[in-house]
Structure formats: C-alpha cells, structure tokens
Amino acid sequence: MSLNPGLIALSVGAFGIGVTEFAPMGLLSVIANDLGVSIPSAGLLISAYALGVMIGAPLMTLTTGRVPRRTLLIGLAGIFTAGNLLAAVSDSYGMLLAARILTSFNHGAFFGVGSIVAAGLVPPQRQAGAVAAMFMGLTIANVVGVPLASWAGEHLGWRAAFWGIAALGVATMAALRLTLPPLPAPKNAKAMAELRALTRGAVLGALALTVIASSAMFTVFTYIAPILQEATQASSAFVTAMLFTYGVGLTIGNWLGGRFADRSVDRTLIVTLASLSAVLVGFAILMGHAAASAVLILLWGIASFALVPPLQVRVMSAASDAPNLASAVNIGAFNLGNAFGAALGGGVIAAGLGYPMVALAGALTSAAGLVAVIISMGHAARSDRLRLGTQTGR
C-alpha cells in the first residue's frame, strides 16, 4: 500500500482510539489510588468503554447517515477529543467514568465509516489493504502508544496520559480536514435500509464470525500475564517483553491480513483461523518453556490480527448496498467477542482446569470459526451453481 495521505490520517485516528481504549489497563492502580476507589471499580472504566462502543456504534451511525463523510469523521474525532479532555480534568471517579462513556461513542462509528472511506480511496482490488492500513494505527497503539501512556501515567500522573491523547484527537481532526476530499453522504441514505441490511443472513453470519474470532483471541490474551507468571514462571520483565512481542505480531498480522484478503477473503480467513488454532494448541503444550512461548506469542499475535481486515471487508461486502451500520456494528462485535472470550477463559480458570486448558478453549473457539467459514463457502458455491443452472436453463 503506497503512501496515501487520507489513509495516514485515518490511521492516526485509529492510533488515538487504540491508546484511549487500552491505556487505562496500565493505569488502573494509579487511577484507583488517586481517586480512592478499588481496583475492580477502576476496572469498570474499561468495561464501560466496551459497553459504550456497542451502544454508540449503531446509535451514531443511524443518526448521522445524511452527514457528509469527512464532516462526520471530523465530528467523531471531536467527540473523542472532548471525552479525553474531560478525562484529563476529572477530579472524581464519576466524572472520569462519564468521560470514558462519552469517548467510547465515537469508536464504532469512526472505525465503521472510516473503513468504508478507506476502501473508497483505493481501487476495488486493494480495499482490504486500505482497511488494514487504517487499522495499522490500532496495532501500533498497542506496541508504542499504550506503553508510552503507561509511562506518562506513572511519572507525570494519569491525567497527563489523557492530555496527550486529547492532543492526538486535535491532530486527527486537522489531518482529516487537510487530506480527505469532500465526501458526500451516501445517496438515499436511510436508516431503514441500513437496518434491513443488518438482518440479512450473510451479514449476520459475518458478524457472528467476528464475535467468534475475537473470542478466540481474548479467551487467552485476557489472562496472558498470569499465564506467563504462573505457568511459564516468567519475570515481570519477560511479561512486558512478551506484551511488546504480541503487539509486534499484531502489526505484522494486520499487514498480512490486508495483503492476502485482497486476493481472497475466505481463503485468508481459513488459513488464519487454522493457524490460530494450531498456535494456541502449541501454546497449551509448551507454555512451560519460555523460549517456545516467545515464538508462539509472536505467531499468535500475527494470526490474531490477520483476521481483522478480512472480517471487516466480509461484513462490508455482505451489506454492500447499505454498509455503514453493518460496518460499525462489526466493531461492536469485536468488543462483544472480547467480553465472551474473557468470560470463557475466566470460566475455565474458575473451574480449576488449568492454564493449558484456557489456550485449548481458545483453539476450539478458533476451530469453530474455521468450520463456519468452510460451511458458508459451501453454501455460497451451491447457490452459485443453482443460479448458473437457472440461467443456463433459460
């Protein structure tokens, strides 16, 4: 993907959103101590954000269908900026929680509409690569932005991290205004058409696959720190290094997913889901060995985020005549998968089955997604044969 100023601006926005979503995970202790709340209460700042994404994605998309796309994206970046400014000046837990919910409302719509805009900036055969270029900002946020925000929170106070993220929001607004062409709202944009598209079997199937694939990732990743500390007997420095390694894998996987999905979305999903299942089985067997775990964590990160571009393009294609709501809801589906995966992994741990079984649960979830893709391909092939037979009969 050659340098495209519009895609770079969208990627900057994705970077900012990625940092604001995940940075509080490294700031929970600092926030809890400063505001006088418990760690579980501080953890609700993350849960509330995820809930806001799922609610805000359809709400913002349905109510802004007639807004020109560049104007809408700048407005969404404005909500992001306002939410982080409110967080930066928060002097109470309730105010910070409200700021997190406000910030989350831009998330699904920005990625949903941004994916469609990104795809429209390039030729049709490069759309998956364009979506991947936008999501590259999200993966880089995990590698660079989140550790930097955590460092700022530890040394300058947690509010400094939110001031910095708000500055990213201002930069995003300026970049979008300067690089994107005037993009009109979709012709005949109607809420009912978007809702009807969302009820199609192909769209619902694509959304369900996103939930399954995201669940496979977060079943294990949610508990990666205790897994490494207890099963691998790793030091805190090794855990930090593995989180960085995983982030590098996400970045590589995002690029590979976009590159190969431009050739075939379904084949990319099949290879990636099969690879993710195999890597997690290997991790279940070898998590007691640090060197093997390091290699598998890199491969796991690659396989995890190689799924994102083809999953997003699959939903957009299934709802091609009214893709805005489906594209935004798919971002919510990733967050729903996050919640399901965390619950599944937690259930395995609570049942006393051990950490290797957590990895196996993730592998089985990924395998279920693989089966679903293969079945859907079979249905599509049969439908094509029937349609061809009907046309030949005529």
Side-chain angles (χ1 to χ4, degrees):
M1 183 65 58
S2 59
L3 288 178
N4 182 309
L7 292 180
I8 293 173
L10 291 168
S11 186
V12 170
F15 177 85
I17 291 173
V19 176
T20 202
E21 179 178 13
F22 297 116
M25 294 180 184
L27 299 172
L28 287 187
S29 297
V30 179
I31 292 173
N33 290 335
D34 185 62
L35 297 180
V37 298
S38 66
I39 292 292
S41 294
L44 289 177
L45 297 170
I46 298 168
S47 302
Y49 187 96
L51 180 62
V53 172
M54 287 185 281
I55 295 173
L59 180 64
M60 296 297 294
T61 303
L62 288 175
T63 57
T64 58
R66 299 181 183 276
V67 179
R69 301 294 89 175
R70 184 177 68 180
T71 302
L72 174 58
L73 287 170
I74 293 172
L76 291 170
I79 294 173
F80 165 85
T81 304
N84 280 292
L85 284 174
L86 184 61
V89 299
S90 294
D91 58 2
S92 68
Y93 173 76
M95 188 175 177
L96 181 57
L97 184 64
R100 293 288 292 168
I101 295 172
L102 172 63
T103 309
S104 71
F105 268 58
N106 89 97
H107 187 123
F110 187 91
F111 276 111
V113 174
S115 295
I116 297 169
V117 169
L121 295 175
V122 298
Q125 68 273 17
R126 297 175 65 187
Q127 289 183 347
V131 172
M134 176 183 175
F135 277 90
M136 187 66 73
L138 184 61
T139 64
I140 295 175
N142 283 279
V143 178
V144 178
V146 172
L148 184 59
S150 297
W151 177 88
E154 289 288 342
H155 293 85
L156 305 174
W158 60 267
R159 291 177 180 83
F162 287 105
W163 279 114
I165 299 169
L168 276 175
V170 174
T172 299
M173 295 170 70
L176 292 171
R177 179 61 182 83
L178 293 173
T179 62
L180 290 181
L183 299 169
K187 294 181 179 179
N188 302 319
K190 296 180 180 178
M192 287 307 300
E194 296 284 348
L195 289 169
R196 281 195 299 269
L198 199 62
T199 62
R200 295 175 193 161
V203 176
L204 292 174
L207 291 171
L209 182 61
T210 295
V211 175
I212 293 170
S214 181
S215 296
M217 173 183 174
F218 283 99
T219 295
V220 192
F221 183 65
T222 305
Y223 305 98
I224 186 62
I227 287 174
L228 291 174
Q229 289 165 348
E230 298 182 31
T232 315
Q233 296 295 303
S235 66
S236 58
F238 184 82
V239 173
T240 301
M242 289 305 97
L243 291 174
F244 176 81
T245 299
Y246 187 79
V248 171
L250 295 181
T251 304
I252 297 171
N254 179 68
W255 176 75
L256 289 174
R259 183 179 178 87
F260 287 104
D262 275 331
R263 302 177 185 178
S264 172
V265 169
D266 286 340
R267 283 201 299 271
T268 301
L269 287 172
I270 287 174
V271 171
T272 305
L273 287 166
S275 300
L276 181 57
S277 295
V279 168
L280 289 177
V281 169
F283 188 51
I285 297 170
L286 298 172
M287 65 173 55
H289 305 277
S293 293
V295 174
L296 289 168
I297 286 170
L298 175 64
L299 296 175
W300 171 25
I302 293 172
S304 292
F305 227 82
L307 289 167
V308 174
L311 287 171
Q312 190 71 10
V313 170
R314 201 171 200 261
V315 169
M316 290 161 54
S317 299
S320 56
D321 57 328
N324 294 283
L325 179 60
S327 181
V329 169
N330 196 47
I331 304 302
F334 280 109
N335 283 267
L336 185 60
N338 183 340
F340 282 162
L344 175 59
V348 171
I349 295 170
L353 299 178
Y355 288 121
M357 283 303 298
V358 175
L360 289 178
L364 288 173
T365 306
S366 180
L370 174 62
V371 171
V373 173
I374 294 172
I375 291 174
S376 70
M377 288 182 67
H379 286 320
R382 283 192 294 273
S383 297
D384 289 341
R385 286 195 297 269
L386 287 173
R387 185 168 57 254
L388 181 61
T390 302
Q391 292 172 349
T392 304
R394 290 177 183 173

